[in-house]
Amino acid sequence: QVQLVESGGGLVQAGGSLRLSCAASGRTFSSYAMGWFRQAPGKEREFVAGIWSGGTTAYADSVKGRFAISRDNAKNTLYLQMNSLKPEDTAVYYCAAANTYYASRYSSGYAYWGQGTQVTVSS
């Protein structure tokens, strides 16, 4: 059973930084793609960033240049470094794990999800 547990969310002022973590367990972490999604109140869940098993990364245009996704396979942990945060980044952030090496931009490409962590950016 794959389990994903996010941490690192919180309240930050605009222009600040946060680093989210996602601890994974239940299978060989390094073999599969991982992703971060977010959902703001009243909006659909959207892709933020993805990382293939081999390390290739992809980002939503809205976060490119500000956010960085990374993985530490030795620690079975996924990260999302968020810099230059904006109020529109406010959302619940979810970690997701795929059943393949490829990091899809669509939520249907992921089989496992964490419980989410709240990120609030004040103006």
Side-chain angles (χ1 to χ4, degrees):
Q1 180 76 7
V2 175
Q3 291 189 325
L4 304 172
V5 180
E6 301 101 333
S7 61
L11 173 64
V12 63
Q13 288 188 332
S17 298
L18 282 175
R19 188 176 81 155
L20 304 184
S21 299
C22 172
S25 61
R27 66 177 183 182
T28 305
F29 177 76
S30 60
S31 298
Y32 301 96
M34 300 290 294
W36 287 100
F37 286 74
R38 67 186 181 187
Q39 188 166 19
K43 295 189 177 182
E44 294 187 353
R45 190 171 298 188
E46 65 174 0
F47 173 79
V48 175
I51 185 165
W52 294 34
S53 60
T56 300
T57 59
Y59 297 93
D61 288 344
S62 60
V63 307
K64 200 172 294 182
R66 300 188 297 123
F67 290 11
I69 187 172
S70 62
R71 63 192 301 162
D72 185 335
N73 291 332
K75 295 182 178 180
N76 290 349
T77 303
L78 176 74
Y79 301 101
L80 184 68
Q81 179 66 44
M82 305 186 294
N83 299 326
S84 301
L85 282 161
K86 304 175 181 180
E88 51 263 43
D89 294 319
T90 295
V92 177
Y93 283 71
Y94 297 91
C95 168
N99 274 337
T100 182
Y101 68 95
Y102 171 79
S104 173
R105 291 176 176 264
Y106 301 96
S107 57
S108 58
Y110 297 84
Y112 304 98
W113 294 84
Q115 81 288 352
T117 186
Q118 176 71 47
V119 172
T120 302
V121 184
S122 63
S123 57

